Amino acid sequence: MSPPAGAPSAAGLTELIDVPGGSTVLGAEDAYPEEAPRRTTTIAAFRLEQHPVTVAQFAAFVADTGHRTRAERTPTAAELPGVPARRRLPGGLVFVPSAGPVPLDDWRRWWRFVPGASWHHPLGPLAGLDAREAMPDHPVVQVCAEDAEAYAAWAGRRLPTAGELEHAARADGPDTRYPWGEQAEPGRFERATTWRGAFPWQEARFTDPADHRRHGWVGTTPVGATPHNPWGLLDLIGNVWEWTSTPARPARAAAGRAPAGCCAPAGEPGRTAPRVVKGGSHLCAPEYCERYRPAALQTPDADTASTHIGFRCAL
């Protein structure tokens, strides 16, 4: 497939890695209900971008097309039926660490809807952080599924399926709980950007735990900050959740497990249908959200914009 007119040269896009096809195990039966059933399927060979789309790459797309993301547009009454105009504000979900330990049974204790939050001001315009200047090599966030699809179309590519990302994360390795084996530690911290500390208030990557409360907190790392997998792919586990083209399906009930939306909270009633995201993020913590595994997934509404969801393209 050739890039459409106006798309960037190949040099401006992420390198595509050849992912061999084959039989692969998807899903899990011993974790969260939305991951079931565990099954074996065949994935056709495809090509996948080496890393998530970065802020700089998304900025080039916006400069070329004038695209305005969903988070930058005021929702219409049709998009949010029953919601008064004063509450229909552009913006996105921002992770705000708590001041200390809190019960982990309500995501509202650490998520806030921030008016004006966008891909270039992921914490909101008042936070003073411009991602284009401060973090151009980080994965772009505060993008909805439609924004990811618009970028992919501009690049002459597409969003991967959930099965493709899970297959790529396993990289034809042993059928283990994590890509690197059965144990989460110590390899998890060496190979993926995930939460290191007491969630949701203390992150060990900060020398002063209060820094991210004083200055605003974006826990992503530059693409390539952790090692590539055996197929040369980066950040398929951790850093940011990644949008896929796969619609959500009903989850099976399972007593005693965390709700499907614990890390990727759903939006207002009546919003767009849920979409699968894969890979986990920098907010995945072992005591709360053990989703830094190939089988893990979440199902946020397709119009959800947040500080921990990005994307990459396939071909």
Side-chain angles (χ1 to χ4, degrees), residues 58-80:
F58 197 80
F61 156 65
V62 170
D64 190 58
T65 64
H67 179 82
R68 292 184 70 220
T69 62
R70 183 76 174 247
E72 295 173 285
R73 308 194 307 266
T74 300
T76 65
E79 291 170 335
L80 289 180

Side-chain angles (χ1 to χ4, degrees), residues 190-202:
E190 297 171 353
R191 305 186 189 187
T193 299
T194 56
W195 188 275
R196 298 182 62 187
F199 186 85
W201 65 282
Q202 187 179 47

Side-chain angles (χ1 to χ4, degrees), residues 14-19 46-51 231-233:
T14 304
E15 177 188 358
L16 287 164
I17 303 294
D18 291 321
V19 177
F46 68 105
R47 306 181 77 196
L48 185 64
E49 290 185 336
Q50 184 183 42
H51 58 72
W231 287 346
L233 295 159

Side-chain angles (χ1 to χ4, degrees), residues 25-245:
V25 175
L26 302 181
E29 296 283 352
D30 59 350
Y32 298 100
E34 67 271 14
E35 298 170 19
R38 180 178 167 87
R39 68 270 186 201
T40 300
T41 191
T42 299
I43 301 292
F46 68 105
R47 306 181 77 196
L48 185 64
E49 290 185 336
Q50 184 183 42
H51 58 72
V53 172
T54 66
V55 172
Q57 289 172 319
F58 197 80
F61 156 65
V62 170
D64 190 58
T65 64
H67 179 82
R68 292 184 70 220
T69 62
R70 183 76 174 247
E72 295 173 285
R73 308 194 307 266
T74 300
T76 65
E79 291 170 335
L80 289 180
V83 178
R86 68 179 183 277
R87 290 185 55 205
R88 287 189 271 111
L89 301 173
L93 290 165
V94 174
F95 174 78
V96 180
S98 60
V102 296
L104 301 180
D105 58 354
D106 188 351
W107 56 263
R108 294 172 184 84
R109 292 189 174 98
W110 50 86
W111 283 108
R112 303 286 185 275
F113 177 82
V114 176
S118 67
W119 68 271
H120 48 93
H121 289 122
L123 303 178
L126 300 182
L129 173 69
D130 189 327
R132 294 166 295 190
E133 298 176 356
M135 45 198 294
D137 55 351
H138 287 234
V140 68
V141 295
Q142 296 290 14
V143 287
C144 300
E146 68 180 61
D147 304 315
E149 288 168 338
Y151 177 97
W154 171 76
R157 299 176 178 182
R158 62 173 175 84
L159 292 187
T161 67
E164 286 174 335
L165 285 186
E166 187 165 341
H167 174 64
R170 293 188 186 280
D172 208 24
D175 182 17
T176 53
R177 185 171 180 82
Y178 309 97
W180 47 81
E182 292 293 344
Q183 301 299 317
E185 300 179 13
R188 179 170 69 86
F189 299 141
E190 297 171 353
R191 305 186 189 187
T193 299
T194 56
W195 188 275
R196 298 182 62 187
F199 186 85
W201 65 282
Q202 187 179 47
E203 224 291 353
R205 280 183 286 145
F206 293 88
T207 54
D208 179 349
D211 278 350
H212 54 298
R213 291 192 294 275
R214 286 197 298 265
H215 305 300
W217 192 86
V218 175
T220 56
T221 54
V223 297
T226 54
H228 59 71
N229 78 0
W231 287 346
L233 295 159
L234 297 162
D235 287 335
L236 281 170
I237 300 295
N239 213 357
V240 292
W241 288 99
E242 298 183 17
W243 289 111
T244 74
S245 61

